[in-house]
Amino acid sequence: MSKDGEVLMEFHRIGTYMKAVAIDPVTGTEVSVVGPATGGQEMLRRTAINKLRYVLQKQAGAKPR
């Protein structure tokens, strides 16, 4: 993620599901997660950001936490 922690987020409702996409604006790395639409955007936001951190750490060769 960028040094200031900026993450671009997108949410798409697909029937009874919600898809959250997190994008690192520096590298353009994009990850997505899907969950129930009734679960709330905040849960999906946290999950997507954690997944993005994991992927960026893995790409950098660091051991993911």
Side-chain angles (χ1 to χ4, degrees):
M1 292 189 318
S2 65
K3 298 239 186 263
D4 62 358
E6 182 180 13
V7 176
L8 304 174
M9 295 293 304
E10 294 179 2
F11 293 94
H12 303 279
R13 185 169 182 150
I14 306 164
T16 60
Y17 295 95
M18 181 79 72
K19 179 179 181 181
V21 180
I23 306 165
D24 176 41
V26 175
T27 64
T29 302
E30 181 177 313
V31 299
S32 64
V33 296
V34 178
T38 58
Q41 285 187 357
E42 188 56 36
M43 178 191 66
L44 289 172
R45 174 180 282 121
R46 285 193 312 263
T47 305
I49 289 172
N50 286 336
K51 184 176 181 180
L52 180 61
R53 284 187 186 126
Y54 173 83
V55 169
L56 291 174
Q57 287 176 349
K58 192 170 181 180
Q59 287 176 349
K63 184 176 179 182
R65 297 191 235 169

